[in-house]
Amino acid sequence: MKLDLYQVDAFTKILFKGNPAAVCPLNNWLDDKILKNIAAENNLSETAFFVKKDNQYHIRWFTPTIEVDLCGHATLASAYVIFNFIEKEINQIVFESLSGNLTVFREDEFITLNFPARPPKKNFTSDLHLKCLDVEPKEVLLSSKTLFLLNSENEVLNAVPNFDEIKKLDSDGLIITAKGENCDFVSRYFAPHAGIPEDPVTGSAHTVLTPYWSKKLNKRKLQAKQLSKRGGELFCEDLGDRINISGKAVLYSIGEIDLA
């Protein structure tokens, strides 16, 4: 059996920037063991698989070690593949996922993801939190992910994570964030529990960050940058219980998997 495989850099317009995702369209679902092996072999932060189902697409996302319930950059990459190679005439997709239906649409070079908002709530600061970084968080909040507010963009950029301690958090990894110097806010995201020490650009983290910064800055539309080595740019909009996350994408490669 041969399968098409695309690799797309998401949340960037520049090759070798943003977050690379593998995208594997399927006609029918394969055994989960095969999906996990493909994701491990790709060794990217996420591999997305999808199957067309009536007028929608059923999508699933795998890190090199686990399946996750929501992934932004691999959804954007999947939409890029569908819009440019599978159904070139459409401009909107509905993905059925573990996080409910996700609508994605394109306008010019931008692809916009409509995701559920996951606003964080203020949490107490524990000894574990203080061991996660080489700097002390100004504030600790909790949603699906733990969120640390730091003092400045420079502090976010230069923070040194302790992955062994971050693995102990009772959440889906750690986001660190601060007000941006040339944008509304900046962030980094660490998920060593999922086999991703630092994720280059993280759409799902912005389901937490967008409602937080929207309220803090009293702005509905926000420009964000993720300060990983590869870096990425996201344009976010707070819609209440949903958010829009927009970005660009660029194709890196098209290949084929041989499962024979």
Side-chain angles (χ1 to χ4, degrees):
M1 179 190 301
K2 296 184 185 296
L3 303 173
D4 291 333
L5 184 71
Y6 300 82
Q7 188 168 322
V8 176
D9 291 340
F11 293 117
T12 183
K13 59 181 179 181
I14 303 169
L15 196 62
F16 307 123
K17 298 292 185 181
N19 201 351
V23 179
C24 186
L26 301 172
N27 292 322
N28 298 286
W29 286 111
L30 304 176
D31 185 86
D32 280 11
K33 184 176 180 181
I34 296 175
L35 302 183
K36 291 175 182 177
N37 284 339
I38 291 172
E41 187 81 6
N42 290 335
N43 200 32
L44 297 171
S45 62
E46 302 285 350
T47 296
F49 301 91
F50 58 75
V51 173
K52 188 164 187 185
K53 180 181 176 183
D54 300 323
N55 293 321
Q56 300 185 167
Y57 286 86
H58 184 195
I59 191 168
R60 297 172 69 185
W61 311 276
F62 291 82
T63 77
T65 58
I66 63 170
E67 182 174 9
V68 298
D69 71 339
L70 187 65
C71 177
H73 83 279
T75 304
L76 190 149
S78 297
Y80 177 91
V81 168
I82 294 168
F83 287 142
N84 288 282
F85 299 101
I86 298 175
E87 293 195 75
K88 298 180 182 180
E89 72 283 357
I90 67 172
N91 289 301
Q92 181 171 303
I93 302 164
V94 178
F95 287 111
E96 177 188 324
S97 79
L98 288 174
S99 293
N101 284 355
L102 310 171
T103 302
V104 181
F105 57 92
R106 68 170 165 179
E107 186 174 359
D108 299 324
E109 293 182 278
F110 282 94
I111 295 175
T112 298
L113 316 174
N114 182 261
F115 275 12
R118 293 174 170 176
K121 295 181 179 179
K122 192 166 182 177
N123 197 25
F124 69 93
T125 302
S126 70
D127 290 340
L128 172 58
H129 295 140
L130 298 177
K131 295 176 183 177
C132 289
L133 293 179
D134 64 336
V135 293
E136 185 173 337
K138 185 177 177 180
E139 190 175 26
V140 175
L141 302 100
L142 184 62
S143 176
S144 55
K145 308 177 191 297
T146 300
L147 175 67
F148 285 3
L149 176 66
L150 302 187
N151 289 299
S152 66
E153 178 173 319
N154 189 59
E155 205 167 74
V156 171
L157 183 63
N158 293 301
V160 179
N162 184 331
F163 296 124
D164 289 337
E165 297 301 322
I166 292 171
K167 281 182 181 179
K168 298 175 185 177
L169 292 172
D170 188 21
S171 66
D172 181 23
L174 173 65
I175 306 165
I176 61 174
T177 189
K179 193 175 186 303
E181 295 176 1
N182 298 301
C183 62
D184 291 303
F185 66 90
V186 297
S187 68
R188 291 169 68 192
Y189 174 61
F190 312 107
H193 67 290
I196 310 167
E198 179 168 0
D199 197 33
V201 196
T202 316
S204 62
H206 286 76
T207 65
V208 180
L209 288 161
T210 300
Y212 174 75
W213 282 108
S214 177
K215 183 177 181 181
K216 197 172 185 68
L217 300 177
N218 195 28
K219 293 179 69 174
R220 192 166 62 89
K221 294 185 177 182
L222 302 152
Q223 181 185 3
K225 291 182 180 179
Q226 195 153 329
L227 302 181
S228 63
K229 184 176 179 180
R230 292 175 64 103
E233 186 174 36
L234 311 90
F235 297 88
C236 308
E237 183 177 7
D238 183 9
L239 304 173
D241 61 349
R242 309 282 297 183
I243 63 165
N244 282 343
I245 307 171
S246 301
K248 297 181 180 180
V250 59
L251 180 70
Y252 170 67
S253 67
I254 302 175
E256 190 175 71
I257 300 171
D258 189 351
L259 295 179

